[in-house]
Every structure is written in structure tokens, then in C-alpha cells.
Amino acid sequence: MVAMEEIINLKRENKELSKKALAGDEYQTRKKVDLVKLQVQEKEEELAKLKKEFNQSKRKNHEEFISMTNQLDKEKIQEDTLSSQLEQRHKRL
């Protein structure tokens, strides 16, 4: 009879410990999930920052390209003008 009570008490303790272990596991799992969520959020913020920097760089490069193209067009016009003037002088001679 005493042995049966001990077995019952041990089963009860085992059940309580199992519940505590589950609760602890759930807490650890929640902590891990929260940590992963935080890491994902940080990566998303980093990605957004990189996208912004990329777009700014892209815009800057595009503006530089347009500026260089305009400069090239001006120099081409100047070259054509000088070439025309040279040709006219050559004809005069």
C-alpha cells in the first residue's frame, strides 16, 4: 500500500515536472521566436537602407551621365563650329 502511494506521488510529481518543462519550453520557444523576429526586422531595416542608398546612387549616376552627355554635345557643337571656321579660312587662303 505504501509502495502504491509512493508510485502515485511519483507519477503526480512527474506530471507536474512535465507541465513545468513544457511551460519552460514554450517560454524558450517564444524567446527564440521573438529573437528571430527582431533579427528579421533588423535585416529588413538594413535592406531598406541599402535600397535607399542604391536608388540615391543610381539617381546620382544617371544625373552624372546626363551631365556628361550634355557636355559632350556642347563640345561636339564647338568642334563643328571650329571645324567650319577652319574650313572657311582655308577657302579664303
mmCIF file of all heavy atoms in Angstrom, residues 17-27:
data_model
loop_
_atom_site.group_PDB
_atom_site.id
_atom_site.type_symbol
_atom_site.label_atom_id
_atom_site.label_comp_id
_atom_site.label_asym_id
_atom_site.label_seq_id
_atom_site.Cartn_x
_atom_site.Cartn_y
_atom_site.Cartn_z
ATOM 1 N N LEU A 17 6.236 18.067 -13.115
ATOM 2 C CA LEU A 17 7.522 18.433 -13.725
ATOM 3 C C LEU A 17 7.403 18.512 -15.246
ATOM 4 O O LEU A 17 8.004 19.383 -15.878
ATOM 5 C CB LEU A 17 8.609 17.438 -13.324
ATOM 6 C CG LEU A 17 9.073 17.516 -11.859
ATOM 7 C CD1 LEU A 17 10.020 16.351 -11.556
ATOM 8 C CD2 LEU A 17 9.768 18.837 -11.588
ATOM 9 N N SER A 18 6.631 17.606 -15.821
ATOM 10 C CA SER A 18 6.419 17.636 -17.270
ATOM 11 C C SER A 18 5.720 18.922 -17.687
ATOM 12 O O SER A 18 6.074 19.540 -18.691
ATOM 13 C CB SER A 18 5.592 16.440 -17.721
ATOM 14 O OG SER A 18 6.311 15.246 -17.533
ATOM 15 N N LYS A 19 4.711 19.340 -16.906
ATOM 16 C CA LYS A 19 3.999 20.588 -17.200
ATOM 17 C C LYS A 19 4.955 21.775 -17.114
ATOM 18 O O LYS A 19 4.946 22.667 -17.959
ATOM 19 C CB LYS A 19 2.824 20.791 -16.233
ATOM 20 C CG LYS A 19 1.642 19.913 -16.489
ATOM 21 C CD LYS A 19 0.538 20.196 -15.489
ATOM 22 C CE LYS A 19 -0.631 19.252 -15.651
ATOM 23 N NZ LYS A 19 -1.686 19.496 -14.647
ATOM 24 N N LYS A 20 5.792 21.786 -16.056
ATOM 25 C CA LYS A 20 6.754 22.879 -15.895
ATOM 26 C C LYS A 20 7.755 22.892 -17.049
ATOM 27 O O LYS A 20 8.130 23.940 -17.547
ATOM 28 C CB LYS A 20 7.483 22.749 -14.558
ATOM 29 C CG LYS A 20 6.627 23.089 -13.367
ATOM 30 C CD LYS A 20 7.398 22.946 -12.077
ATOM 31 C CE LYS A 20 6.515 23.225 -10.869
ATOM 32 N NZ LYS A 20 7.234 23.051 -9.604
ATOM 33 N N ALA A 21 8.176 21.706 -17.440
ATOM 34 C CA ALA A 21 9.126 21.606 -18.551
ATOM 35 C C ALA A 21 8.494 22.127 -19.837
ATOM 36 O O ALA A 21 9.130 22.857 -20.597
ATOM 37 C CB ALA A 21 9.593 20.174 -18.734
ATOM 38 N N LEU A 22 7.230 21.773 -20.074
ATOM 39 C CA LEU A 22 6.522 22.269 -21.257
ATOM 40 C C LEU A 22 6.402 23.784 -21.221
ATOM 41 O O LEU A 22 6.625 24.462 -22.220
ATOM 42 C CB LEU A 22 5.126 21.643 -21.357
ATOM 43 C CG LEU A 22 5.046 20.299 -22.058
ATOM 44 C CD1 LEU A 22 3.612 19.759 -21.993
ATOM 45 C CD2 LEU A 22 5.492 20.413 -23.494
ATOM 46 N N ALA A 23 6.027 24.298 -20.059
ATOM 47 C CA ALA A 23 5.904 25.749 -19.918
ATOM 48 C C ALA A 23 7.253 26.412 -20.172
ATOM 49 O O ALA A 23 7.340 27.446 -20.834
ATOM 50 C CB ALA A 23 5.381 26.107 -18.530
ATOM 51 N N GLY A 24 8.319 25.814 -19.648
ATOM 52 C CA GLY A 24 9.668 26.340 -19.876
ATOM 53 C C GLY A 24 10.039 26.277 -21.348
ATOM 54 O O GLY A 24 10.621 27.211 -21.899
ATOM 55 N N ASP A 25 9.694 25.165 -21.989
ATOM 56 C CA ASP A 25 9.973 25.026 -23.420
ATOM 57 C C ASP A 25 9.207 26.072 -24.226
ATOM 58 O O ASP A 25 9.731 26.660 -25.156
ATOM 59 C CB ASP A 25 9.599 23.631 -23.914
ATOM 60 C CG ASP A 25 10.603 22.568 -23.467
ATOM 61 O OD1 ASP A 25 11.703 22.938 -22.998
ATOM 62 O OD2 ASP A 25 10.276 21.371 -23.582
ATOM 63 N N GLU A 26 7.948 26.288 -23.861
ATOM 64 C CA GLU A 26 7.143 27.303 -24.550
ATOM 65 C C GLU A 26 7.767 28.682 -24.369
ATOM 66 O O GLU A 26 7.849 29.465 -25.309
ATOM 67 C CB GLU A 26 5.704 27.293 -24.028
ATOM 68 C CG GLU A 26 4.891 26.105 -24.480
ATOM 69 C CD GLU A 26 3.492 26.100 -23.885
ATOM 70 O OE1 GLU A 26 3.014 27.174 -23.475
ATOM 71 O OE2 GLU A 26 2.884 25.023 -23.843
ATOM 72 N N TYR A 27 8.244 28.962 -23.155
ATOM 73 C CA TYR A 27 8.870 30.260 -22.874
ATOM 74 C C TYR A 27 10.136 30.407 -23.718
ATOM 75 O O TYR A 27 10.356 31.446 -24.347
ATOM 76 C CB TYR A 27 9.192 30.371 -21.382
ATOM 77 C CG TYR A 27 9.931 31.625 -21.025
ATOM 78 C CD1 TYR A 27 9.285 32.851 -21.007
ATOM 79 C CD2 TYR A 27 11.292 31.579 -20.714
ATOM 80 C CE1 TYR A 27 9.974 34.014 -20.686
ATOM 81 C CE2 TYR A 27 11.986 32.734 -20.399
ATOM 82 C CZ TYR A 27 11.318 33.949 -20.370
ATOM 83 O OH TYR A 27 12.004 35.084 -20.057
#
